Amino acid sequence: MEQKDENLWQVAKKRAHFKRHLFKYVIINLFLWAIWYFTDGYRESENGIPWPAWVTLGWGIGIAFSYYEAYHSYKDSSAEREYEKLKREQQNKTS
């Protein structure tokens, strides 16, 4: 059995989680917008903003963060940089 690279495994898990999250977001938001549309909500918008827009916007912000974490944060790991910095500092003290 092949040994997994732990960093790549973590990235793969984050990306799989994002894809599941995105699928749920799309399906549930389509359902909410359909409810709004078929209950004549499109005619009753008092303030001009349909109520499903708040769900779509709020959850969409979460999706954006999830996307960034899955596809961009591994490239710019501040924890990895800090670890390397501390490692260099420790080596400089001992030499």
Side-chain angles (χ1 to χ4, degrees), residues 54-72:
W54 299 109
V55 176
T56 302
L57 176 65
W59 196 352
I61 292 169
I63 288 287
F65 280 108
S66 183
Y67 170 80
Y68 179 80
E69 183 179 344
Y71 288 93
H72 297 288

Side-chain angles (χ1 to χ4, degrees), residues 4-22:
K4 292 179 186 171
D5 180 322
E6 188 59 34
N7 288 336
L8 290 178
W9 180 242
Q10 292 302 320
V11 170
K13 287 186 349 182
K14 286 180 182 181
R15 288 182 179 186
H17 173 75
F18 167 73
K19 289 175 184 178
R20 286 190 308 270
H21 192 182
L22 181 62

